Amino acid sequence: MNILAIGAHPDDVEFYCAGTLLKYARAGHKVFITLTTSGNIGSNVIVGREEIARIREQEQLESAKLYNNAAVRFLRNDDEGLLDSPKLRSDLIDAIRWASPDVILTHFPGDMSTDHNVTGTVVGRVMLSLPGKNVPATEAPMTTAPALFYWDTAAGLHFEPEAYVDVSDTMEDKLRGLGMHKSQFAWLSTFQDVSLTEHSRILGSFRGLAVGRKYAEGFRAYRIHGYMPDWKLLP
Ligand SMILES: [Zn+2]
């Protein structure tokens, strides 16, 4: 299968679904990543938004190698300024068509981070446009209907998983990938006490508790007529 993870910022894919992506990659599936922004305000130390974006894209490209060299597509919208727009819709349609995924993983629309909820919301909004020939987009229309699953939120707020993936065997590599987003450790420590990797381990452990496993990642599903969740597609 082709698996597409769509995040708002560099580090979101590693933080929210890397345990699951690593399982897909190890089972021989092809992984693709798309980011709606390059996180260009995500530092108070690096000088200049272009330089922040450049460093963070590099960190994302490095961590993408963990999933058998996942292909990465950057949409390069401004960080914390994402809005639903015709351009974002056509860029996301093109990104999805480019990956031709069987499964899409993305942010939950109820996530209170603006870029997260706009990304998750707009991915849901373009699902019915994927096969349309007359949709403003450049990639060829899809002839198959991908499944769309939403990953967890930071600290699990506003999110009750409907399904869980046991990531006990991929958690340490997930944390290694997260550690590659070096620029984010100084940034996030300016407003929270728990590091990115500690936070991820706690959330994985908490979700694991619900299903009697050491670590798990939780998911919910997108639903619309013709797109009911097929949970068997999760690893
Ligand atoms: Zn984010």
Side-chain angles (χ1 to χ4, degrees):
M1 294 194 294
N2 286 358
I3 313 298
L4 171 63
I6 305 176
H9 311 110
D11 79 4
D12 284 337
V13 167
E14 279 61 51
F15 186 90
Y16 293 109
C17 74
T20 300
L21 280 190
L22 285 163
K23 291 188 78 156
Y24 277 126
R26 286 174 192 179
H29 302 294
K30 175 89 183 123
V31 175
F32 297 78
I33 294 170
T34 289
L35 299 184
T36 51
T37 88
S38 294
N40 63 357
I41 66 161
S43 177
N44 281 348
V45 183
I46 303 162
V47 179
R49 297 204 295 175
E50 280 182 16
E51 182 62 3
I52 298 170
R54 190 189 66 75
I55 288 170
R56 297 196 68 188
E57 287 189 5
Q58 205 50 49
E59 290 169 345
Q60 182 64 78
L61 291 171
E62 207 48 47
S63 54
K65 291 179 186 166
L66 287 176
Y67 321 108
N68 289 336
N69 296 314
V72 184
R73 185 169 173 128
F74 297 106
L75 303 187
R76 298 192 168 117
N77 294 281
D78 278 333
D79 193 2
E80 300 301 333
L82 202 59
L83 296 169
D84 187 354
S85 66
K87 182 171 187 315
L88 181 61
R89 289 189 186 208
S90 63
D91 284 351
L92 279 169
I93 290 165
D94 276 335
I96 295 168
R97 289 175 173 181
W98 159 76
S100 190
D102 299 282
V103 174
I104 302 171
L105 306 175
T106 192
H107 293 282
F108 180 52
D111 189 318
M112 289 295 109
S113 154
T114 303
D115 295 341
H116 293 186
N117 75 42
V118 171
T119 298
T121 297
V122 177
V123 170
R125 285 179 179 163
V126 301
M127 289 293 279
L128 295 182
S129 301
L130 298 176
K133 275 187 191 166
N134 296 305
V135 170
T138 52
E139 299 277 347
M142 287 185 70
T143 54
T144 54
L148 171 56
F149 300 114
Y150 298 118
W151 59 51
D152 216 322
T153 59
L157 287 171
H158 318 292
F159 192 90
E160 179 71 31
E162 298 178 291
Y164 296 82
V165 173
D166 180 347
V167 297
S168 306
D169 56 347
T170 50
M171 191 58 165
E172 298 312 319
D173 283 337
K174 167 178 174 154
L175 296 179
R176 202 155 60 83
L178 204 48
M180 292 176 184
H181 294 275
K182 292 190 186 77
S183 66
Q184 294 312 286
F185 287 81
W187 166 241
L188 294 171
S189 69
T190 59
F191 50 84
Q192 61 192 32
D193 290 335
V194 177
S195 78
L196 202 57
T197 44
E198 285 170 314
H199 182 164
S200 183
R201 192 187 287 280
I202 291 166
L203 185 58
S205 177
F206 177 62
R207 294 309 186 196
L209 196 60
V211 285
R213 297 290 191 275
K214 189 168 185 199
Y215 296 113
E217 287 175 344
F219 294 91
R220 296 184 61 84
Y222 167 84
R223 289 177 174 81
I224 199 169
H225 59 283
Y227 288 86
M228 284 298 118
D230 181 355
W231 299 113
K232 296 189 297 299
L233 295 174
L234 287 170

